[in-house]
Amino acid sequence: MKITIWNENKHEKTNPKVAEIYPEGIHGALAKIFEGTEHQVQTATLEQPEHGLTEDVLNNTDVLFWWGHMAHHEVSDDIVDRVHKRVLEGMGLVVLHSGHFSKIFKKLMGTSCDLKWREADDRERLWVVDPTHPIAEGIGEYFELEKEEMYGEHFDIPAPDELVFVSWFEGGEVFRSGCTYKRGNGKIFYFRPGHETYPTYYNQDVQKVLVNAANWVKPVDRAYPTYGNAKPIEEISAKN
Ligand code: ZN
């Protein structure tokens, strides 16, 4: 599997706390999760030409991870269209945390993707609500993050095809934290945790979910469907 991890890489440069937690950037920490696996991993960031997502890179990507927050508006619409096309063709997409407001996620969902939020060190408990789902494989009934940003319902997304995780927060809110979608030939997984000021991506259960998610969204071997005017497969008999 060829994995590309995209990160806007801004907080790491402007907030010393984030730089301390993620000295090699959030993309660096995410790439490390796949070290030692058979998968090929590369990273791409906003400041690179074409945001590091050239035609060549995307054509050689089976699974794209997306982390963005403060610079969604700086992502060029042309690149968003390019990623969107690749998802419809079958490229898997894993959207992380504040990526709920990214141009690509909103384009794929067609809703505002808005939610409630709070930065108050809430404890988060993520419940597995679909124990049969491959993305939850190896996870217990639930797992916990000692401190996280709160995201609360209502989350303005289309009803997920499958709901894998529901979060509870110490302050009382709940949130649909692990959602799957299919768009065209492509599969999408949204996973909530990962606020930049917490060491969330070092958590073993979070890492397990991300590896499972890559395996789940990866393309199946199937050509893009043929659309448009179609010749009959059988001869159509003359009718009186
Ligand atoms: Zn956040």
Side-chain angles (χ1 to χ4, degrees), residues 37-236:
T37 67
E38 72 277 21
H39 309 305
Q40 290 176 37
V41 182
Q42 59 180 332
T43 60
T45 55
L46 180 68
E47 72 273 16
Q48 292 176 317
E50 301 180 54
H51 311 321
L53 300 174
T54 61
E55 295 273 6
D56 194 47
V57 166
L58 286 176
N59 288 337
N60 283 293
T61 297
D62 297 314
V63 174
L64 178 66
F65 281 79
W66 193 279
W67 198 102
H69 179 225
M70 61 192 284
H72 295 314
H73 61 284
E74 290 179 36
V75 178
S76 117
D77 292 337
D78 290 347
I79 304 298
V80 174
D81 289 346
R82 190 184 282 172
V83 173
H84 185 260
K85 178 170 172 281
R86 282 288 296 133
V87 171
L88 298 187
E89 287 170 356
M91 181 182 74
L93 177 68
V94 179
V95 175
L96 300 169
H97 186 61
S98 39
H100 73 91
F101 256 170
S102 62
K103 286 183 180 178
I104 183 60
F105 190 62
K106 289 201 289 187
K107 188 177 170 87
L108 286 160
M109 296 298 109
T111 54
S112 77
C113 300
D114 213 343
L115 45 76
K116 290 189 181 67
W117 61 276
R118 170 175 67 237
E119 285 183 57
D121 294 347
D122 282 69
R123 185 150 49 96
E124 177 176 9
R125 183 176 297 139
L126 290 102
W127 287 93
V128 174
V129 294
D130 185 350
T132 68
H133 205 285
I135 293 178
E137 194 172 330
I139 306 292
E141 284 191 70
Y142 62 83
F143 69 96
E144 289 187 348
L145 299 167
E146 207 39 54
K147 290 177 186 177
E148 250 293 353
E149 179 182 13
M150 184 283 292
Y151 276 7
E153 297 284 347
H154 178 243
F155 184 18
D156 183 22
I157 45 171
D161 293 340
E162 298 161 309
L163 185 58
V164 186
F165 298 103
V166 169
S167 286
W168 164 90
F169 292 90
E170 205 173 346
E173 291 85 356
V174 295
F175 191 76
R176 287 168 289 170
S177 271
C179 304
T180 75
Y181 294 94
K182 291 172 186 168
R183 293 289 184 271
N185 272 21
K187 284 175 272 175
I188 302 159
F189 182 59
Y190 173 77
F191 190 49
R192 196 218 75 84
H195 186 68
E196 65 275 6
T197 56
Y198 302 109
T200 297
Y201 292 124
Y202 299 110
N203 178 280
Q204 298 281 299
D205 286 315
V206 167
Q207 294 191 354
K208 224 177 270 177
V209 170
L210 295 177
V211 172
N212 290 346
N215 279 308
W216 187 82
V217 300
K218 76 176 177 221
V220 294
D221 189 12
R222 171 168 293 281
Y224 195 62
T226 311
Y227 295 110
N229 185 261
K231 290 203 166 52
I233 296 164
E234 317 291 342
E235 198 176 326
I236 301 168

